[in-house]
Amino acid sequence: SALTIPDVAACIAAVKLLTNSGDLVKKLWQNADYLRAGLKKLGFDTGTSISPIIPLMLGESKLAQDFSKELFTEGLFAKAIVYPTVAQGKARVRIMNSAGHTKEQLDKAIEIFAKVGRRLNVI
């Protein structure tokens, strides 16, 4: 489906913001690096991605879906990505932070990932 006019306007506005200042991009990468490091320290597999979008590699589709649901129950939204979007056995939860997240929010997210990871025996 084609993008709606408001979606296109939002994309144009975002591109203008990003081209006018590198501060937001820098903050996004700082947040991604901080979050990725916290997840790795807990023992999560964050794959080999070099993007601010962090994959939490879980393998099986049901586990990824259950993990996503448990995160949501704890107040955190991170979507499960399963077959056929990714290969069988490569299911993951896609973590998308933003430049707008604070260190305190990222710390809270890491706590929630730890809680759910332990509950589901992932870490």
Side-chain angles (χ1 to χ4, degrees), residues 5 9-10 15 26 41-42 69 72 74 98 101 111 115:
I5 292 170
V15 169
K26 182 178 176 183
K41 185 176 180 181
L42 289 169
K69 287 176 189 173
F72 190 75
E74 295 292 334
S98 78
H101 286 109
E111 286 177 27
K115 183 177 184 179

Side-chain angles (χ1 to χ4, degrees), residues 103-119:
K103 184 178 180 295
E104 292 77 21
Q105 290 170 324
L106 296 175
D107 286 338
K108 180 64 176 172
I110 291 168
E111 286 177 27
I112 293 170
F113 277 104
K115 183 177 184 179
V116 172
R118 289 184 185 107
R119 185 182 309 149

Side-chain angles (χ1 to χ4, degrees), residues 82-97:
V82 299
Y83 178 83
T85 304
V86 295
Q88 297 258 9
K90 299 288 185 181
R92 63 202 68 188
V93 169
R94 179 177 288 159
I95 306 166
M96 297 170 42
N97 71 98

Side-chain angles (χ1 to χ4, degrees), residues 19-65:
T19 56
N20 289 336
S21 171
D23 293 344
L24 291 173
V25 174
K26 182 178 176 183
K27 177 74 167 149
L28 173 63
W29 277 102
Q30 288 172 342
N31 283 352
D33 292 342
Y34 182 83
L35 185 57
R36 184 179 283 109
L39 293 168
K40 283 184 176 184
K41 185 176 180 181
L42 289 169
F44 285 107
D45 178 358
T46 60
T48 59
S49 172
I50 51 171
S51 161
I53 300 170
I54 303 168
L56 195 66
M57 306 304 292
L58 296 168
E60 296 305 314
S61 294
K62 181 170 181 353
L63 177 58
Q65 291 166 332

